[in-house]
Amino acid sequence: MSRCAAAVLSLGILFQLSHGLEVNVTKDGKLCLYANLMINFSVSYEGKDNKTHTATFELPPTANPDDSKCDETASTLTLKFGEGHSWSMDFSKKDAFYQADNVTFTYNLSDSTTFPNSASNETRNVTAKPQITEVVQDTCYSCRSTDTIEAPMVNMTLWNVLMQAFVINGSKSGTISPCDADKSTTSAPPTTHATNATTVAPTTNGTTPAPIPTTTPTPTLPTPSDGTYMLKADENSTACLLANFGLRIRFEQGGQFQEMNLEPNLTKASGFCGVNSSELVLESAAMTINFTFTNDTKKFHLHALNVTAKTGSGEFTDVNTNMSVWEAAVGSSYMCNKEQNYTITKQLTLYTFNLRVQPFGVKKGGFSTAEDCLGDAESFLVPIAVGVALLVLILIVLLAYFIGRRRNMATGYESF
Ligand SMILES: *[C@@H]1O[C@H](CO)[C@@H](O)[C@H](O)[C@H]1NC(C)=O
Ligand SMILES: *[C@@H]1O[C@H](CO)[C@@H](O)[C@H](O)[C@H]1NC(C)=O
Ligand SMILES: *[C@@H]1O[C@H](CO)[C@@H](O)[C@H](O)[C@H]1NC(C)=O
Ligand SMILES: *[C@@H]1O[C@H](CO)[C@@H](O)[C@H](O)[C@H]1NC(C)=O
Ligand SMILES: *[C@@H]1O[C@H](CO)[C@@H](O)[C@H](O)[C@H]1NC(C)=O
Ligand SMILES: *[C@@H]1O[C@H](CO)[C@@H](O)[C@H](O)[C@H]1NC(C)=O
Ligand SMILES: *[C@@H]1O[C@H](CO)[C@@H](O)[C@H](O)[C@H]1NC(C)=O
Ligand SMILES: *[C@@H]1O[C@H](CO)[C@@H](O)[C@H](O)[C@H]1NC(C)=O
Ligand SMILES: *[C@@H]1O[C@H](CO)[C@@H](O)[C@H](O)[C@H]1NC(C)=O
Ligand SMILES: *[C@@H]1O[C@H](CO)[C@@H](O)[C@H](O)[C@H]1NC(C)=O
Ligand SMILES: *[C@@H]1O[C@H](CO)[C@@H](O)[C@H](O)[C@H]1NC(C)=O
Ligand SMILES: *[C@@H]1O[C@H](CO)[C@@H](O)[C@H](O)[C@H]1NC(C)=O
């Protein structure tokens, strides 16, 4: 399954992916556009009896995406189905965002199975503007709620939508940009005004409609990939700052917690190496993180953290300038291989995976000896172990002494 989908599933959002249409559009053998979605169509048309008829049908899972295409700044998802019908969505990208510009639906009224008794045999086109804007690049747009796009004579209801346009490097993002409807409703049933087929669902008394399961979101994205970041004092020297870790942030925006992984492949490192202070700035399309390390002569630690994240609903930024984590001796590196979390502020938590940093005194471009975060636990254990060993040794010596003395005494008596 796709990482996109896996991420959403693990977010606890219930997706009936198997019923949706999943499309992987590739360019030069690399994934460039991903979509998984469901659409209900409702089309009004004139019948031979001069009456208005309404046809309702779903996007079939057999729809053909072969006419889809990707370009540098524009791409199109095209789904052809049935007797000459097609649905398409255009995407464009600008700065750090992408959006859906137009939806075009073409339907063939000659298809008498879909449009029985149609007075016309034409093929018609409608265009509308969807509300899919400002999706952060390299994130998956996700909308479980229904979204009805209205066009003349046609309503298109989309739901369980997961898509990413402008996929970078052929791999889907593990980060989700949820639509506003998903954010504001935790479990509200979809409010459709598109279905003229309300009679389809007879309300049988006694059996209340099953409520939509409200799975409490336990957000767990896939483990972030490890990145290695390096700073040099100038282009000819070896590294002066080294960092290696997988990174995730969890932050609160508009009353909702969100998680984001840092994608090392799309992250730029900058900053400076100082004597008393060094700074590492990691920047991707979706987030910027400033790490400020302090050298207090013998030891260093992470002193300040400034995080900025861009989401569909704006920018999140938070800073803590009074931290004291990742402490180790200047001239060595700090290491923590296990997953760690740090509460930076009430709104922000940092997660690290396979962490190793050395912000000062890097020699020959490589990490120096590491001080492990397990050290604390071990430094308790080591003296205890040594103490126990000593105690045992003393007992053995004492025992040997008493046995020896007894023997001596025995032989002493014998010699008498
Ligand atoms: C879509 O249509 C199917 C059948 O035509 C119906 O069962 C389903 O409830 C509709 N979904 C929405 C969200 O309108
Ligand atoms: C249907 O419309 C056509 C032309 O608009 C008209 O000639 C015809 O009388 C109408 N038939 C009925 C049953 O209204
Ligand atoms: C429209 O439907 C008719 C009848 O099914 C079919 O013969 C025709 O080829 C279709 N038009 C297109 C453009 O596919
Ligand atoms: C569509 O209908 C018109 C008139 O009703 C007819 O002349 C024409 O041949 C039809 N076209 C198709 C493709 O069936
Ligand atoms: C589309 O939705 C609007 C608003 O609910 C409704 O008035 C209209 O009849 C619908 N049109 C179709 C073709 O279902
Ligand atoms: C369903 O229950 C309501 C109120 O309890 C009642 O008025 C209605 O007649 C019932 N409908 C059917 C189909 O039993
Ligand atoms: C780096 O080395 C090149 C050639 O060895 C030299 O021309 C250049 O000035 C040096 N750059 C710096 C910043 O020292
Ligand atoms: C990062 O890039 C490398 C090489 O280009 C590639 O092998 C790796 O799969 C990429 N990882 C991700 C998470 O995109
Ligand atoms: C750390 O700070 C001390 C005192 O300011 C300085 O002597 C030492 O050179 C610094 N270490 C590094 C690696 O910059
Ligand atoms: C670093 O700190 C020491 C003592 O705190 C100070 O004497 C020294 O001037 C500082 N060095 C720099 C480059 O700021
Ligand atoms: C944190 O970063 C943001 C954006 O990079 C910047 O505007 C802000 O001034 C920084 N705050 C601090 C305290 O460094
Ligand atoms: C943070 O880590 C501790 C143990 O290291 C764990 O018990 C806790 O659940 C973690 N918190 C979060 C929010 O992941």
Side-chain angles (χ1 to χ4, degrees):
M1 195 188 291
S2 70
R3 281 183 65 198
C4 245
V8 167
L9 279 173
S10 59
L11 273 166
I13 297 169
L14 215 65
F15 252 91
Q16 277 103 37
L17 287 172
S18 51
H19 299 289
L21 170 67
E22 187 173 31
V23 180
N24 287 295
V25 182
T26 57
K27 189 186 185 189
D28 304 331
K30 271 184 174 177
L31 180 75
C32 63
L33 197 163
Y34 172 83
N36 192 320
L37 77 174
M38 296 171 107
I39 310 176
N40 273 12
F41 294 95
S42 172
V43 180
S44 296
Y45 63 98
E46 190 82 351
K48 285 186 182 131
D49 52 3
N50 283 4
K51 280 192 187 133
T52 302
H53 294 247
T54 302
T56 58
F57 51 96
E58 291 178 72
L59 177 73
T62 51
N64 178 350
D66 290 352
D67 281 1
S68 306
K69 60 180 197 294
C70 296
D71 269 321
E72 209 48 49
T73 54
S75 52
T76 309
L77 172 68
T78 302
L79 303 170
K80 292 168 94 171
F81 58 97
E83 305 276 337
H85 315 298
S86 85
W87 183 87
S88 70
M89 190 176 247
D90 295 325
F91 298 93
S92 66
K93 86 174 169 183
K94 192 166 178 272
D95 305 326
F97 303 100
Y98 67 88
Q99 64 175 41
D101 296 314
N102 282 313
V103 160
T104 307
F105 176 50
T106 305
Y107 56 104
N108 177 3
L109 288 169
S110 307
D111 175 2
S112 56
T113 326
T114 311
F115 305 104
N117 245 332
S118 171
S120 163
N121 60 10
E122 296 168 328
T123 292
R124 288 193 184 145
N125 257 321
V126 289
T127 303
K129 283 219 175 298
Q131 296 288 313
I132 303 175
T133 57
E134 299 223 315
V135 184
V136 175
Q137 269 198 54
D138 196 34
T139 67
C140 278
Y141 170 81
S142 164
C143 202
R144 185 177 68 106
S145 312
T146 58
D147 174 19
T148 300
I149 303 171
E150 289 185 28
M153 315 288 276
V154 177
N155 287 347
M156 297 163 264
T157 304
L158 280 66
W159 79 102
N160 283 7
V161 175
L162 189 61
M163 51 192 183
Q164 186 185 355
F166 309 106
V167 172
I168 299 171
N169 265 338
S171 53
K172 270 159 288 185
S173 169
T175 309
I176 299 294
S177 291
C179 63
D180 289 339
D182 279 5
K183 284 185 223 157
S184 52
T185 58
T186 39
S187 69
T191 47
T192 351
H193 40 260
T195 44
N196 294 5
T198 35
T199 46
V200 173
T203 46
T204 45
N205 275 359
T207 53
T208 45
I212 289 180
T214 51
T215 40
T216 42
T218 44
T220 37
L221 290 172
T223 304
S225 320
D226 288 351
T228 301
Y229 310 99
M230 184 207 307
L231 293 184
K232 291 178 174 185
D234 61 68
E235 53 177 314
N236 291 340
S237 57
T238 55
C240 63
L241 181 152
L242 289 172
N244 183 93
F245 44 60
L247 208 71
R248 173 187 302 156
I249 55 169
R250 174 180 154 88
F251 57 95
E252 191 187 0
Q253 195 180 36
Q256 292 260 318
F257 274 98
Q258 277 190 62
E259 292 197 343
M260 262 190 206
N261 285 345
L262 184 69
E263 299 281 348
N265 280 6
L266 309 164
T267 300
K268 214 177 71 210
S270 58
F272 65 86
C273 299
V275 175
N276 294 341
S277 166
S278 291
E279 189 162 309
L280 173 66
V281 182
L282 299 180
E283 201 170 352
S284 73
M287 63 173 114
T288 304
I289 308 184
N290 283 31
F291 301 86
T292 308
F293 298 94
T294 302
N295 161 16
D296 49 22
T297 58
K298 288 208 181 84
K299 294 199 154 193
F300 71 82
H301 63 267
L302 175 64
H303 182 67
L305 192 71
N306 182 354
V307 173
T308 305
K310 296 192 196 84
T311 70
S313 45
E315 209 173 76
F316 166 88
T317 183
D318 214 343
V319 56
N320 183 340
T321 56
N322 192 18
M323 296 170 61
S324 196
V325 296
W326 303 0
E327 188 178 88
V330 171
S332 65
S333 58
Y334 176 81
M335 184 159 100
C336 203
N337 280 326
K338 59 180 181 176
E339 178 184 340
Q340 280 290 97
N341 62 58
Y342 305 91
T343 305
I344 310 301
T345 64
K346 254 191 223 146
Q347 289 80 31
L348 177 66
T349 307
L350 183 77
Y351 296 80
T352 61
F353 303 78
N354 300 319
L355 169 71
R356 190 163 181 188
V357 287
Q358 186 169 352
F360 299 99
V362 174
K363 294 207 176 67
K364 294 181 193 152
F367 281 113
S368 309
T369 41
E371 291 184 20
D372 201 289
C373 56
L374 292 172
D376 287 352
E378 273 166 6
S379 62
F380 276 114
L381 289 178
V382 169
I384 290 171
V386 170
V388 168
L390 270 176
L391 213 70
V392 169
L393 204 70
I394 289 166
L395 282 176
I396 289 170
V397 168
L398 279 177
L399 215 67
Y401 169 75
F402 281 119
I403 290 170
R405 223 170 83 120
R406 272 206 164 169
R407 282 239 178 98
N408 272 346
M409 281 165 92
T411 47
Y413 286 123
E414 238 168 47
S415 70
F416 257 103

